[in-house]
Amino acid sequence: MKLSFEPYILKFKKPGGTSRGVLTEKLTYILKLKTNGKVYLGECGLFKGLSADDVPNYEEKLQWACEQYPQKSLDDLWEELREFPSIQFGLEQVYQSFRFNQYNDDYNDPYNPDLFESAFKNGENGILINGLIWMGEVDFMKAQIDEKLKAGFRCIKIKIGVNWEAEYQILKELRTHFPAEKLEIRVDANGGFSFTEAQKVLEQLAPLAIHSIEQPIKAHQIEEMAKLCAQTPVPIALDEELIGVFGRHEKYNLLATIRPQYIILKPSLVGGIRGSLEWIECCDQLGIDFWITSALESNLGLNAIAQWTAILYPTMPQGLGTGGLFTNNFDSRLQVIGDQLFRNKN
């Protein structure tokens, strides 16, 4: 029984624009467990420039984690790796795949393992998702929006914060054609505005019946974010604000101080399933809602996120539609039909 890892560089089909820059490739790490003639995989979805565990000794820590298996339990490893959330999630995937499939004689596809029992896993139910619109020139953004609407999406998320005036015009035009009851619009600023700019943006967004704005200002401006959330005419969702917050009490205190309307959970960035559940417990205590999204993982990680999300029985659109962004992604049983993510039976 041996656990190992190897790096894998995902190549974007088209450059992805955000307020942090344009993405053309993404480094990820694949964990591999070999035992009894079977292989079990997990993805450590490190996000360069964003992950809290984007540190020089990342591969050393990953090697250490592999060497500890199976002497240490997943619980023990998870606690010792609190500052390495992507490794936590990768290990969770390997352990869960092994537990679920070790006695399954039909198991032969480690990139698409069954992980959690659900109607979604069996291809019977889908998960409602939003359509993602990347930043870019106005015509490029409009073309993406047209594509998502034609595909049947009833909720779209638009990246903003690079050229706000042009982005604002797109949002106004979009709303004139599609009222809120027909199209839910979310916007994601990725911290692209200053506090003063964010106040103005929120006022401009209010008449457009925007569902929510993600991370209007950069993370770690706790007092300013709390002020925005207390006074905002548009619901605010925390995203990057959650990164690097490791302890459960620290999580609760952050949410209790800022009091956002929503938080967005990316398992690769917040400690996998167990770390996400800690955030959810805090939300339940404080009356804060949440949804789950991917963080540009390959189809391997997306498969795990989607199957776990399904057993939470979400009612609002989730952010799980990024699996088709890469030229060299792994084959997947995940398929977007209309505005839902499904998992094919075979």
Side-chain angles (χ1 to χ4, degrees):
M1 185 176 288
K2 181 181 179 182
L3 185 63
S4 62
F5 75 91
E6 59 184 32
Y8 190 79
I9 298 178
L10 294 160
K11 304 285 188 179
F12 280 81
K13 293 177 181 176
K14 297 179 181 178
T18 75
S19 60
R20 289 187 298 270
V22 177
L23 305 173
T24 58
E25 62 182 32
K26 180 181 181 293
L27 171 67
T28 194
Y29 290 87
I30 308 301
L31 285 175
K32 180 182 296 186
L33 173 65
K34 292 184 177 181
T35 180
N36 296 327
K38 295 181 179 179
V39 175
Y40 306 94
L41 302 177
E43 180 176 4
C44 300
L46 177 69
F47 200 131
K48 287 283 188 180
L50 182 61
S51 297
D53 48 9
D54 180 16
V55 292
N57 66 328
Y58 182 87
E59 290 193 5
E60 292 177 21
K61 201 67 177 181
L62 196 49
Q63 181 62 38
W64 173 86
C66 290
E67 292 169 355
Q68 300 305 305
Y69 183 86
Q71 289 82 7
K72 291 189 176 182
S73 68
L74 176 60
D75 286 345
D76 288 341
L77 277 176
W78 194 92
E79 285 294 347
E80 294 185 47
L81 290 164
R82 271 199 179 264
E83 296 186 5
F84 290 84
S86 63
I87 300 179
Q88 289 175 317
F89 188 36
L91 287 170
E92 286 179 331
Q93 293 169 54
V94 170
Y95 273 73
Q96 185 63 20
S97 182
F98 173 71
R99 288 171 180 170
F100 204 95
N101 298 292
Q102 60 179 316
Y103 302 117
N104 178 8
D105 293 335
D106 295 327
Y107 172 76
N108 59 8
D109 186 358
Y111 288 96
N112 294 281
D114 293 344
L115 297 172
F116 300 96
E117 191 57 55
S118 71
F120 173 79
K121 183 215 79 171
N122 296 326
E124 297 162 4
N125 286 350
I127 300 173
L128 196 64
I129 62 174
N130 61 240
L132 178 61
I133 309 301
W134 290 91
M135 288 177 173
E137 297 295 331
V138 171
D139 289 345
F140 171 65
M141 294 182 71
K142 286 183 175 180
Q144 292 180 80
I145 293 170
D146 288 342
E147 179 184 340
K148 297 300 181 186
L149 296 176
K150 289 177 181 177
F153 280 89
R154 291 164 287 175
C155 174
I156 60 173
K157 184 176 88 168
I158 302 177
K159 297 276 190 178
I160 63 172
V162 171
N163 182 354
W164 169 240
E165 289 306 319
E167 295 155 0
Y168 178 48
Q169 294 304 318
I170 290 174
L171 290 169
K172 286 201 299 182
E173 181 180 337
L174 188 60
R175 189 50 93 206
T176 61
H177 295 292
F178 298 94
E181 59 269 21
K182 290 189 176 181
L183 180 67
E184 182 176 283
I185 301 175
R186 300 171 177 176
V187 295
D188 182 3
N190 288 130
F193 300 112
S194 68
F195 175 72
T196 302
E197 288 170 340
Q199 289 179 309
K200 179 182 177 182
V201 167
L202 290 168
E203 291 175 0
Q204 291 177 294
L205 289 176
L208 302 181
I210 299 299
H211 172 271
S212 57
I213 178 172
E214 297 180 29
Q215 203 69 42
I217 62 176
K218 291 186 184 302
H220 312 309
Q221 301 179 77
I222 307 301
E223 184 177 343
E224 290 86 350
M225 187 68 86
K227 287 181 180 178
L228 287 177
C229 289
Q231 302 168 2
T232 184
V234 175
I236 291 175
L238 300 187
D239 182 356
E240 288 90 344
E241 201 74 59
L242 311 184
I243 297 172
V245 183
F246 301 120
R248 191 192 180 285
H249 293 298
E250 191 181 359
K251 294 174 182 179
Y252 180 88
N253 290 337
L254 177 73
L255 296 184
T257 300
I258 296 180
R259 297 280 176 166
Q261 286 71 39
Y262 298 102
I263 67 169
I264 296 166
L265 296 170
K266 296 175 178 175
S268 293
L269 300 180
V270 300
I273 293 170
R274 182 170 165 183
S276 296
L277 288 174
E278 287 184 347
W279 282 110
I280 291 171
E281 290 171 2
C282 296
C283 285
D284 288 343
Q285 294 173 25
L286 295 167
I288 298 168
D289 212 341
F290 68 93
W291 68 87
I292 297 162
T293 185
S294 53
L296 301 180
E297 294 86 0
S298 74
N299 284 327
L300 174 62
L302 184 58
N303 173 66
I305 297 171
Q307 286 193 56
W308 172 64
T309 300
I311 66 173
L312 299 179
Y313 301 102
T315 56
M316 71 172 72
Q318 307 293 296
L320 304 177
T322 59
L325 292 175
F326 308 112
T327 61
N328 59 339
N329 212 337
F330 308 115
D331 290 339
S332 178
R333 289 166 58 185
L334 300 174
Q335 180 183 12
V336 177
I337 302 176
D339 61 352
Q340 293 189 67
L341 181 68
F342 286 88
R343 188 168 185 265
N344 298 329
K345 292 183 179 180
N346 297 306

